[in-house]
Amino acid sequence: MHLSRLISTAFLLVVLPAAYSPAGAGAAIGVAMDDFSYTDTSAELANQTAAHERRLSAFMAALRRDIGADGRYRLAPSAQDGAAFKVIGGIQKTSTLVQWAKVAVIDVGAKRLVMDKLYTFRGDNDESWERAEIFVSREVMAALSTPAPVALAVFEFELEDTTAASAGASAASDASYLAEVTGSVREALGQSGRYRIVDISGEAVKTRTLRDCGGCEAAIAQKLGADQSLIGVVRRVSRTEYTLGFQVRDARTGAVLARGDSGLRMGADYSWKRGAVRLVSDRLIESQAKP
């Protein structure tokens, strides 16, 4: 629909400033807000353009006032002017008594939607618009207080084979299974909303064994602009037994922030992916979500 296209188009046009992380920030967080669009598809005979322009103007002024009144935030002219978040939206009148509001909040540094909702409100008078603004402002404020995702560099999982198996025929399949493990773990972490996966494709780490490099992955992650690094290992005990492990470091200090080990698991090579996702979900995503 019209409002969905508006949100997706505006999202693509956001120009990213320097990376922003609210952790430990003492200054107010910058919020940029464009005027919402307005579309009337109600087919009513009366021309209400002037009234709608007035009400939309009052709506935007109140929304900006509400957000600016909270000491945690400051209104910024645009995303280019240091805003950590951008608020966009549009309102569409579909009938005499029904209007829809599409509102999105973008975490500019992470290039991620932290809110994307469609609301309906009844009526087209000053009182109904005021009620709608109060509700929308509460929703936007809740989205703005959501912690920014951690920029995480997830390096390729490595294989530690203790079975003395030949490296010939199985090497290709091992590489394929390890790629599936890494891809699935990145996907699970990204979908959790707690992490923003940093692209490591341009970093030449294939020639190194990161599990034995004394924490060098943290420095590599920092170079890539990540807050944290994650390395993982699949340890093959036998053709039907394996263990999994991972370790997360602070990219700046190199300190170990989290680690997990699965213990012995049964299953063929194709089960590595399932086991790795389960381990990371249990020991990292879920544990970090607990108070």
Side-chain angles (χ1 to χ4, degrees), residues 21-69:
S21 176
I29 299 170
V31 179
M33 186 184 309
D34 292 342
D35 285 338
F36 288 9
S37 65
Y38 189 84
T39 305
D40 187 349
T41 58
S42 65
E44 293 180 293
L45 295 179
N47 186 336
Q48 303 177 73
T49 301
H52 289 153
E53 288 178 351
R54 176 178 58 81
R55 288 172 182 148
L56 180 61
S57 178
F59 179 98
M60 295 308 304
L63 189 57
R64 291 187 172 102
R65 181 194 64 227
D66 290 347
I67 293 175

Side-chain angles (χ1 to χ4, degrees), residues 163-227:
T163 65
S166 64
S170 64
S173 60
D174 288 345
S176 177
Y177 289 132
L178 287 171
E180 289 183 0
V181 169
T182 305
S184 298
V185 167
R186 285 172 177 159
E187 182 179 8
L189 290 166
Q191 289 181 348
S192 73
R194 300 184 60 83
Y195 298 96
R196 173 173 61 88
I197 306 305
V198 174
D199 182 13
I200 67 166
S201 60
E203 182 63 29
V205 297
K206 291 289 187 180
T207 58
R208 311 187 207 182
T209 303
L210 293 182
R211 66 182 184 272
D212 296 326
C213 75
C216 69
E217 72 276 7
I220 299 171
Q222 185 180 35
K223 178 181 176 182
L224 294 169
D227 302 315

Side-chain angles (χ1 to χ4, degrees), residues 13 25 87 92 99 101 108-109 116 118 150 178 188 249-250 266 289:
L13 291 177
V87 181
Q92 182 174 2
Q99 301 198 77
V108 177
D116 183 13
L118 182 65
V150 175
L178 287 171
R249 290 182 183 270
D250 183 293
M266 303 291 292

Side-chain angles (χ1 to χ4, degrees), residues 235 243-246 259-264 279 283:
R235 304 179 188 91
T243 67
L244 291 157
F246 74 85
R259 56 164 55 99
D261 199 290
S262 68
L264 188 64
L279 176 66
R283 303 291 180 85

Side-chain angles (χ1 to χ4, degrees), residues 151-176:
L152 180 64
V154 180
F155 295 99
E156 302 291 335
F157 271 63
E158 299 173 352
L159 176 63
E160 185 177 318
D161 194 344
T162 63
T163 65
S166 64
S170 64
S173 60
D174 288 345
S176 177

